[in-house]
Amino acid sequence: VVCVGSPCFSIYQLPAARHWSNVPFLTVPLARAHGKSFAHRSDLRRAKRIVVKLGSAVVTRGDECGLALGRLASIVEQVAMLQNQGREMMIVTSGAVAFGKQRLRHEILLSQSVRQALHSGQNQLKDMSLPVLEARACAAAGQSGLMALYEFNIEILVTNLDFHDEQKRRNLNSTLHELLRMNIVPIINTNDAVVPPPEPNSDLQGVNVISIKDNDSLAARLAVEMRADLLIALSDVEGLYDSPPGTDDAKLLDTFYPGDQQSITYGTKSRVGIGGMEAKVKAALWALQGGTSVVIANGTHPKVTGHVITDIVEGKKVGTFFSEVKPAGPTVEQQTDMARTAGRALASLLPEQRSEIIYTMADLLTEKREEILSANKKDMEFAVNSGRMPPPLLKRLSLSSSKLNSLAIGLRQIAVSSQDSVGRVVRRTRVANNLELEQITVPIGVLLVAPSRVSHARTSIASGNALLLKGGREAANSNRVLHELAQEALSIHGVRDAIQLVSTREEVEDLCRLEKMIDLIIPRGSSQLVRDIQRAAKGIPVLGHSEGICHVYVDHEASLDKVIKIVRDSKCDYPAACNAMETLLIHRDVLRSPMFDQIIDMLRTENVKVHAGPRFASYLTFSPSEVKSLRTEYGDLECCIEVVDGMLEAVDHIHKYGSSHTDVIVTENEETAEQFLQLVDSACVFWNTSSRFSDGYRFGLGAEVGISTARIHARGPVGLEGLLTTKWVLRGDGHTAADFSEQGSMKYLHENLPVAPSLHGQRTSN
């Protein structure tokens, strides 16, 4: 079926609203003055009118056996969801030519095979060649397939005349606006069966002139004509690359600016369709000039197709975003590249040179004290006025002269203690005569600390790692001044760029997708933040813990004085810390003793709210509020109390409800304590000490960069050593593996050699 003359119509009618009652509606205002595109990805959340263009590779199956029905269903579901959020959605669909080409190809092959079989009288077929298939003929054959797909809908077929003829353009515009008003998603396609070949005119040279020669140009013209806020062009590539995808140095561009056109090398066209990436870019730039933001993304990848459109509208880093506003500074990808290059130079410095950088940082902290405190004052005023930051976090944000003095002292200490960290020989082995193997410490690479304070710079410099700092907005002024200070110190040995402060609008989740550029993420914040980062960073290791559910078990042979001191310090010293006690386990024999009464009196005096565990509540006539979950991190002056029969039951409780962070036993029975220390499978296990000792500074590790509950690499409080890995260096004299075969003349010795106190490259005698 071919539509000639008057347009045919096809529409996707949304399901009744009751079917979408579970869809969350946006609270952001969906309105803006048209005429200027969005400057940043995060602004896409405000897009009201959206055009989604489906490329031929998205509509058709990869095996060339029909339409990709499952993929199209997921796309329609996303469009419906956005429509129900109050947006106005339109779809521009390709596929008639590609689908028709598939159908004609199959028909021709079938016809040829039958004729050859009849002519030869045998089943063996000769090589068959296909004629060149003309695009309009393919469209005529394929359009009926698309119409069948939209059987209960109306598809609008258009040509150049519908836009260049003023009356037809007005009719089309009026029709589309009326359909949108009726909460209907129009589906638009070029009428490829009757469209004439494109003329070599002033194509794409101005907002008012564009030739509709493919669905890329149609989508651009439609978006501008309908004053759409956003055009999403889905194809079979991740986005726009600076060179053809698949080449060695090809890099996906997160954001593309009109002035960057000369830096792009285009490859071949898609396996189907008639546009190609160059046509998409030209159409995108034309739409951008007309005031419509554009994102080109992959609509065929099975892992992302189900949420690619909604991710784009939520402002996530998907595909290539076209923007007219180029940021003043480098992009985060460029910052990461700069950090890696400078980080390698930092790692190659002599230990004395890295120490000199850290000493210089300490001196600058003293010299620029007033500037730092002034910047911090602005941050504090903003945080207090916002009213959203709890007192413990306000205390953590605040800087003072004494804090700066302590930071300077810590810098000088780590400058001395870290000199033998990088390049230290961990193991030396004489594999054979004149064949010596060394295992040496090296930096991990590029670290991302989020959210962060620039105080993390000291351990990064000492360990030779490059550092990306993603500070929170609440500390923006303080971080800016401290970052400038750190870069000034790094400049004395030409490695200024080794530490980068990410101040752009990128969310932490977006940074977690740079798996080829970042080597380790160290989250610093709430348990929810850590969980979000662990979920988002699928290709990057995360050093951290999602929760700090720490237990203190009070044994029936515990000392009263020690119990009161340890429980008070564990819960009340800093309730928001991840090493604060959250659950107090009491031996059942302690429950009705004077010791228990004094514990309760102390908690009441410290204004600690108590939640009763199920068993504890069963002992009481009038109990405190029963705990909702025994796996709760309160992060405040609250805790749970539960009763256990003994040490072994306490261990079982910790394993079932704990987070493998820090757990404590208070007892005078050494045998019980040693058994507890052996059985509890947590990063830190203490006897008669506060859980607050789970800290890198208290462990003597220097500045702590985090606490890890992972079971590989670093575990527990992580200091400088946790930011190092190792590599193997083998020195030989023309050795080959064949020398050690059965026919070879050499034998393995595998003789361990002394390593201390030598550093890599500083050879010692045997």
Side-chain angles (χ1 to χ4, degrees), residues 346 349-366 407-419 421-422 455-465 485-486 488-493 495 499 703 720:
L346 174 66
L349 294 178
L350 294 173
E352 296 80 9
Q353 292 174 310
R354 284 191 295 272
S355 294
E356 186 181 356
I357 292 172
I358 300 173
Y359 276 124
T360 303
M361 283 183 63
D363 294 339
L364 289 172
L365 275 177
T366 304
L407 186 57
I409 292 171
L411 284 167
R412 293 186 175 96
Q413 289 174 343
I414 200 171
V416 175
S417 63
S418 65
Q419 290 205 17
S421 297
V422 181
S455 56
H456 293 112
R458 56 186 175 184
T459 47
S460 171
I461 295 171
S463 59
N465 284 290
L485 179 152
E488 184 176 342
L490 288 163
S491 296
I492 66 174
H493 287 296
V495 289
I499 296 179
L720 188 147

Side-chain angles (χ1 to χ4, degrees), residues 103 237 278 291 324 345 350 406 449 625 756:
R103 297 178 76 174
V237 291
E278 186 172 6
E324 292 184 298
L350 294 173
S406 298
V449 181
S625 61

Side-chain angles (χ1 to χ4, degrees), residues 227-242:
R227 306 184 68 168
D229 301 309
L230 174 61
L231 167 60
I232 299 174
L234 298 182
S235 182
D236 58 351
V237 291
E238 304 300 322
L240 179 60
Y241 289 79
D242 57 359

Side-chain angles (χ1 to χ4, degrees), residues 358-521:
I358 300 173
Y359 276 124
T360 303
M361 283 183 63
D363 294 339
L364 289 172
L365 275 177
T366 304
E367 294 173 13
K368 299 192 174 186
R369 180 187 315 240
E370 295 304 319
E371 183 181 353
I372 297 169
L373 294 177
S374 175
N376 182 250
K377 183 180 178 181
K378 295 179 182 178
D379 291 331
M380 289 296 296
E381 290 173 351
F382 176 80
V384 171
N385 292 335
S386 68
R388 293 194 297 262
M389 188 172 289
L393 294 183
L394 277 174
K395 182 179 178 182
R396 192 172 182 177
L397 174 64
S398 175
L399 291 176
S400 62
S401 294
S402 60
K403 277 189 177 182
L404 293 179
N405 286 336
S406 298
L407 186 57
I409 292 171
L411 284 167
R412 293 186 175 96
Q413 289 174 343
I414 200 171
V416 175
S417 63
S418 65
Q419 290 205 17
D420 63 345
S421 297
V422 181
R424 178 170 53 87
V425 180
V426 177
R427 177 179 178 179
R428 292 177 64 210
T429 302
R430 182 182 290 117
V431 178
N433 289 328
N434 296 320
L435 187 62
E436 202 168 289
L437 179 68
E438 288 182 343
Q439 184 184 15
I440 62 172
T441 57
V442 294
I444 289 176
V446 178
L447 313 178
L448 168 63
V449 181
S452 63
R453 299 287 293 271
V454 184
S455 56
H456 293 112
R458 56 186 175 184
T459 47
S460 171
I461 295 171
S463 59
N465 284 290
L467 182 63
L468 284 180
L469 295 168
K470 176 59 176 173
R473 285 179 295 178
E474 70 281 354
N477 295 292
S478 305
N479 280 340
R480 175 182 51 78
V481 174
L482 290 170
H483 175 244
E484 291 172 356
L485 179 152
Q487 287 202 318
E488 184 176 342
L490 288 163
S491 296
I492 66 174
H493 287 296
V495 289
R496 174 186 178 88
D497 293 332
I499 296 179
Q500 297 286 329
L501 181 63
V502 180
S503 55
T504 57
R505 294 195 179 194
E506 271 81 9
E507 300 291 339
V508 173
E509 184 178 345
D510 293 327
L511 297 174
C512 291
R513 298 182 182 185
L514 302 177
E515 68 274 2
K516 295 182 180 179
M517 309 176 80
I518 296 173
D519 299 299
L520 179 68
I521 300 176

Side-chain angles (χ1 to χ4, degrees), residues 33-108:
H34 191 81
K36 192 172 184 180
S37 60
F38 293 122
H40 306 282
R41 276 186 184 269
S42 57
D43 296 330
L44 297 180
R45 298 185 182 99
R46 294 163 44 213
K48 167 71 173 177
R49 184 170 291 170
I50 302 171
V51 175
V52 178
K53 187 266 177 180
L54 308 180
S56 298
V58 178
V59 175
T60 58
R61 289 171 44 162
D63 60 3
E64 300 188 358
C65 292
L67 299 171
L69 300 180
R71 187 186 301 148
L72 290 170
S74 68
I75 289 172
V76 167
E77 185 175 350
Q78 294 173 77
V79 169
M81 182 181 296
L82 293 173
Q83 182 93 349
N84 276 285
Q85 290 176 349
R87 307 178 196 271
E88 296 175 342
M89 306 298 297
M90 291 177 281
I91 295 177
V92 175
T93 175
S94 301
V97 174
F99 185 45
K101 188 180 295 184
Q102 292 177 4
R103 297 178 76 174
L104 290 178
R105 184 168 177 260
H106 291 162
E107 291 292 336
I108 293 171

Side-chain angles (χ1 to χ4, degrees), residues 227-352:
R227 306 184 68 168
D229 301 309
L230 174 61
L231 167 60
I232 299 174
L234 298 182
S235 182
D236 58 351
V237 291
E238 304 300 322
L240 179 60
Y241 289 79
D242 57 359
S243 55
T247 57
D248 290 338
D249 298 324
K251 290 184 179 179
L252 178 65
L253 301 179
D254 167 63
T255 307
F256 183 75
Y257 308 98
D260 295 342
Q261 291 171 259
Q262 303 303 319
S263 62
I264 303 299
T265 303
Y266 298 102
T268 58
K269 295 182 180 180
S270 167
R271 63 175 175 83
V272 291
I274 59 176
M277 184 55 71
E278 186 172 6
K280 289 176 175 57
V281 172
K282 287 182 177 180
L285 292 174
W286 190 89
L288 188 67
Q289 185 181 357
T292 298
S293 297
V294 182
V295 174
I296 296 177
N298 192 335
T300 63
H301 197 294
K303 291 185 177 180
V304 301
T305 300
H307 49 82
V308 60
I309 299 174
T310 52
D311 281 353
I312 290 171
V313 177
E314 288 172 9
K316 295 182 180 179
K317 274 198 169 184
V318 179
T320 300
F321 171 63
F322 285 70
S323 174
E324 292 184 298
V325 181
K326 195 163 188 175
T331 65
V332 67
E333 290 83 2
Q334 291 170 334
Q335 283 187 288
T336 310
D337 271 341
M338 293 160 59
R340 183 176 293 281
T341 301
R344 286 172 176 155
L346 174 66
S348 68
L349 294 178
L350 294 173
E352 296 80 9

